[in-house]
Amino acid sequence: MADKYDVLKLENQLCFPLYACSKEVVRKYKPMLDEIDLTYTQYIAMMVMWEKKEVSVKELGECLFLDSGTLTPVLKKLEAKGYINRQRSKEDERLLVVTITLEGEKLRDRAIEIPEKMGACIDIASEEAVQLYQLLNKVLKGLEE
Amino acid sequence: MADKYDVLKLENQLCFPLYACSKEVVRKYKPMLDEIDLTYTQYIAMMVMWEKKEVSVKELGECLFLDSGTLTPVLKKLEAKGYINRQRSKEDERLLVVTITLEGEKLRDRAIEIPEKMGACIDIASEEAVQLYQLLNKVLKGLEE
DNA sequence: TAAAATTTAATTGGGTACAATTAAAATATA
DNA sequence: TATATTTTAATTGTACCCAATTAAATTTTA
């Protein structure tokens, strides 16, 4: 029954559930993020800002696995919403430094319920969640060589 | 040291490695898929076509977790490349039936090396891969309620 | 030091991804 | 059966995501 084409079946791919799961999780976030008027990409960018207060686009890109082609428009939107400031570094004019604003800090308190609400949607035991987290990070590290 | 904002740290999210991992895996596919002139979305659509030979857009969407807004342009491109045909069902004119062509079948032989090459990039043991596969599918099932 | 190479962010263009709307066809209901 | 509802794909508009290119600033090298 097994033939050489079995490796090309969707059900035999590891990558597909990864792709589908990621997409569906982001979709699940949407109603929660709508309440604070952020997209998922804007949300993870703000997570970095809440923690670091000030980063260059380069650093932010390394944290999020995104390049300036994606980040530039995202950051311009966050700036337009008043959550961050963007200015060139005085020491090195190539660097664009992103700084969190007071409004951005305030948003943190409105976002704080999201992780728990999101966790409730993911129906796995906490040991499984740890396992999944570790496996994903292992794959991620492996991909970087 | 722990504060209430810890839940909003990127490193404490399960969803972020999922998002990042999915993105990086798809990026890793790119050079391999370039050789057969397919994008990742076109590739998974062709996987379904190789297996089923004929499906409606609705069925395809259920397999791939994608809607017609995404699939319509993807399928038009695959049709332009000569890998599939698109025609309305005679029994139910609402349904658009996608059929694989001979060219589409031929492509299968060129794609057959991709899963193994991709597997080599994912640096985890096979038991871990199984574990990851099962966890992802569990989360995916849980999200659908 | 002057020229070459590198680094950084922005821009451009192609390809998704999805919510909301539209339109046609089929089914259900009064 | 005529109307209302539902189903299906396509379209529209917004937002990524990335490779490749560009341009400016910095660093390296001859």
Side-chain angles (χ1 to χ4, degrees):
Chain A
M1 223 49 204
D3 78 324
K4 63 169 177 169
Y5 295 118
D6 283 353
V7 291
L8 279 174
K9 283 187 178 172
L10 208 59
E11 58 178 306
N12 293 329
Q13 308 303 311
L14 177 55
C15 305
F16 177 68
L18 191 58
Y19 159 85
C21 202
S22 165
K23 231 161 37 66
E24 294 308 303
V25 165
V26 170
R27 194 216 298 278
K28 205 76 177 181
Y29 264 107
K30 190 165 189 306
M32 308 176 202
L33 292 174
D34 279 349
E35 287 182 40
I36 56 171
D37 188 33
L38 289 183
T39 64
Y40 182 71
T41 315
Q42 291 167 11
Y43 174 60
I44 58 175
M46 286 307 298
M47 279 191 179
V48 176
M49 296 314 302
W50 287 325
E51 197 175 340
K52 305 213 174 168
K53 313 301 178 196
E54 178 174 316
V55 281
S56 68
V57 170
K58 178 185 157 65
E59 289 172 300
L60 189 57
E62 284 165 358
C63 290
L64 301 180
F65 296 84
L66 292 171
D67 67 7
S68 68
T70 302
L71 286 176
T72 297
V74 168
L75 294 174
K76 282 180 176 173
K77 271 165 211 146
L78 288 175
E79 186 178 44
K81 292 182 192 190
Y83 298 140
I84 59 165
N85 285 134
R86 299 162 67 246
Q87 72 266 320
R88 291 281 164 181
S89 163
K90 280 286 189 297
E91 297 85 49
D92 186 340
E93 294 260 352
R94 289 172 305 183
L95 273 58
L96 189 135
V97 177
V98 185
T99 324
I100 194 161
T101 62
L102 208 63
E103 278 304 303
E105 291 282 10
K106 280 190 205 160
L107 189 65
R108 198 181 198 182
D109 285 309
R110 298 183 59 205
I112 205 163
E113 300 152 22
I114 293 178
E116 197 185 337
K117 275 196 226 167
M118 197 56 215
C121 296
I122 297 187
D123 188 29
I124 57 176
S126 71
E127 319 89 62
E128 288 178 317
V130 171
Q131 222 171 44
L132 179 54
Y133 180 88
Q134 288 170 346
L135 284 170
L136 290 168
N137 278 113
K138 191 166 181 179
V139 171
L140 208 45
K141 187 165 288 179
L143 287 170
E144 300 178 71
E145 265 111 337
Chain B
M1 220 54 205
D3 81 323
K4 63 170 177 168
Y5 294 119
D6 283 352
V7 292
L8 279 174
K9 282 186 178 173
L10 208 58
E11 59 179 306
N12 293 330
Q13 308 302 312
L14 177 56
C15 304
F16 177 69
L18 191 57
Y19 160 85
C21 203
S22 165
K23 232 160 38 64
E24 294 308 301
V25 165
V26 170
R27 194 216 298 278
K28 205 75 177 183
Y29 264 108
K30 190 167 188 304
M32 308 176 203
L33 291 175
D34 278 349
E35 287 184 40
I36 56 171
D37 189 34
L38 289 182
T39 64
Y40 182 71
T41 314
Q42 291 167 11
Y43 174 60
I44 58 176
M46 285 308 297
M47 278 190 179
V48 176
M49 296 315 301
W50 287 324
E51 196 176 341
K52 305 213 175 166
K53 314 301 178 195
E54 177 175 316
V55 281
S56 67
V57 170
K58 179 185 155 64
E59 289 173 300
L60 189 58
E62 284 165 358
C63 290
L64 302 180
F65 296 84
L66 293 171
D67 67 6
S68 69
T70 302
L71 286 176
T72 296
V74 168
L75 294 175
K76 283 180 177 173
K77 270 163 211 146
L78 288 175
E79 186 178 43
K81 292 182 193 190
Y83 298 141
I84 58 163
N85 285 134
R86 299 162 68 246
Q87 71 264 320
R88 292 281 165 182
S89 163
K90 282 286 190 297
E91 297 85 50
D92 186 340
E93 294 261 350
R94 289 172 304 182
L95 272 59
L96 188 135
V97 176
V98 185
T99 323
I100 194 161
T101 63
L102 209 62
E103 279 305 304
E105 291 282 10
K106 281 190 204 162
L107 190 64
R108 200 180 195 183
D109 284 308
R110 299 182 61 205
I112 205 165
E113 300 152 22
I114 294 178
E116 197 185 338
K117 276 197 225 166
M118 198 56 216
C121 295
I122 297 186
D123 189 28
I124 57 174
S126 72
E127 319 87 62
E128 288 178 317
V130 170
Q131 220 171 46
L132 180 54
Y133 180 88
Q134 289 170 346
L135 285 169
L136 290 169
N137 279 113
K138 190 166 182 179
V139 172
L140 207 46
K141 187 164 286 179
L143 287 170
E144 299 178 71
E145 265 111 340

